[in-house]
Amino acid sequence: MSKTDQRPPETACESVHREYILDVRVVEVTDDDEPRYRFEAPEHRGVAFDDPEMAELYADVYFCANGFEEDGTGEYGIPPAIIGAGRAVLASYMLAQPHNDLEWVASFFGMKPHRINKYAEVVTNRAQEIRDGAEERGVE
């Protein structure tokens, strides 16, 4: 589940769950409730997830789409950069949204759920290749 995060209260404990290049990261935020995982990137509003895997998939989508911003797309809108990044990126983005689950995304695309999982795997692998290539060129 994701939602806009309005910065945690002072009592919350934060730690970096996963750090990427270009100041992109997933931060674990723990307070009295269950931990949440907030995606952070420059020029991108914080989006929080209940599941760390969905936060990481969202980060992978971010890299595959060469960044994107959701402001102005509405609650159920899809940023144009996501649509232009291809079917696997679009399916992965939709899978990471709180109002969707694997079966719904599979139905939307007219596919079996295992195909959507394959799309997510392709996106994760492609994002890692993008990050590795950037690091080889000295991008931090």
Side-chain angles (χ1 to χ4, degrees), residues 63-139:
F63 280 101
C64 286
N66 198 25
F68 61 89
E69 179 57 62
E70 292 175 309
D71 283 344
T73 61
E75 186 175 345
Y76 296 103
I78 297 174
I82 299 293
I83 294 169
R87 182 175 270 222
V89 174
L90 175 59
S92 297
Y93 175 82
M94 292 174 74
L95 184 59
Q97 299 305 302
H99 48 273
N100 299 337
D101 63 14
L102 180 62
E103 287 74 23
W104 187 91
V105 175
S107 176
F108 179 86
F109 282 94
M111 298 179 168
K112 301 279 186 192
H114 76 275
R115 294 287 301 150
I116 301 304
N117 282 331
K118 284 287 190 193
Y119 277 164
E121 185 178 320
V122 165
V123 166
T124 295
N125 292 338
R126 187 182 318 155
Q128 189 59 53
E129 289 172 6
I130 291 166
R131 291 187 293 262
D132 290 345
E135 286 176 348
E136 288 172 7
R137 290 188 301 280
V139 175

Side-chain angles (χ1 to χ4, degrees), residues 14-33:
E14 290 188 5
S15 62
V16 175
H17 171 75
R18 182 137 187 224
E19 194 161 16
Y20 304 94
I21 60 171
L22 302 173
D23 295 325
V24 175
R25 64 190 187 157
V26 174
V27 176
E28 182 177 347
V29 179
T30 308
D31 53 20
D32 295 335
D33 297 332

